[in-house]
Amino acid sequence: SDAESPGCFHLQLVNAQIAKQVQDLSESLGSYCSTVASPAALAELSVGQLSLAQFPTDHLWYRVVVCEIHDKSALVRYVDFGNSDTAIDSSLRHFDKQFLSLPRQALMCRLHNLQSSQADGKWSAAACKMIGKFDQSTLCVRLYGEEA
């Protein structure tokens, strides 16, 4: 899970079966990126496009969606975990539709009927810090549809 603010955070629904599927996907991505996939030039990418990116900390490959494109890097969101990071062009690969069999595992959420009290609609540092405490925690939540 990843938390930006009470107005935007990501959760994963986790059980043993899903964990195994994510692990299998990770292994498939590693094989694909090391042998088949060609590097994705930033000029070939567009905002909202699915791609593959190597996470800088563990050097493993993950599914991402491109959020912003800069001169030599892109801001990407890891669709199975919800976190965002900057990916340099050499750590991006073209996406292959074979990796669509597992739905995105990070669900974007917000707290129901909660709005920022600040005039500009942004969340205070204290509110963001509070929601950040839930990062990597196990929570019991009730999910509502778009209409709720």
Side-chain angles (χ1 to χ4, degrees):
S1 63
D2 186 63
E4 295 174 16
S5 73
C8 181
F9 58 97
H10 291 80
L11 296 177
Q12 293 173 295
L13 303 178
V14 179
N15 62 38
Q17 180 182 4
I18 292 173
K20 172 82 168 95
Q21 291 173 327
V22 171
Q23 177 63 36
D24 291 347
L25 175 64
S26 179
E27 291 171 8
S28 296
L29 290 173
S31 296
Y32 175 78
C33 289
S34 65
T35 59
V36 178
S38 59
L42 290 172
E44 299 171 342
L45 298 176
S46 59
V47 171
Q49 181 179 350
L50 285 170
S51 187
L52 303 172
Q54 189 175 42
F55 193 66
T57 305
D58 62 13
H59 304 289
L60 297 176
W61 293 92
Y62 298 96
R63 303 184 301 177
V64 299
V65 64
V66 177
C67 299
E68 297 175 8
I69 300 172
H70 305 283
D71 289 339
K72 297 183 181 187
S73 65
L75 178 66
V76 297
R77 178 168 305 280
Y78 292 84
V79 300
D80 296 312
F81 300 93
N83 56 309
S84 298
D85 204 353
T86 299
I88 57 173
D89 55 358
S90 62
S91 69
L92 293 165
R93 297 290 183 270
H94 291 286
F95 190 85
D96 190 277
K97 63 184 175 183
Q98 68 178 308
F99 301 118
L100 288 173
S101 61
L102 183 66
R104 297 177 185 197
Q105 297 301 300
L107 305 172
M108 188 174 82
C109 302
R110 62 180 173 80
L111 295 178
H112 186 64
N113 288 335
L114 184 68
Q115 296 179 347
S116 171
S117 62
Q118 297 189 25
D120 62 5
K122 293 184 179 180
W123 293 93
S124 69
C128 293
K129 184 176 180 180
M130 181 275 305
I131 199 74
K133 290 180 181 181
F134 296 122
D135 197 22
Q136 302 299 320
S137 298
T138 301
L139 302 173
C140 180
V141 298
R142 180 173 179 188
L143 299 177
Y144 293 91
E146 291 288 325
E147 67 280 350

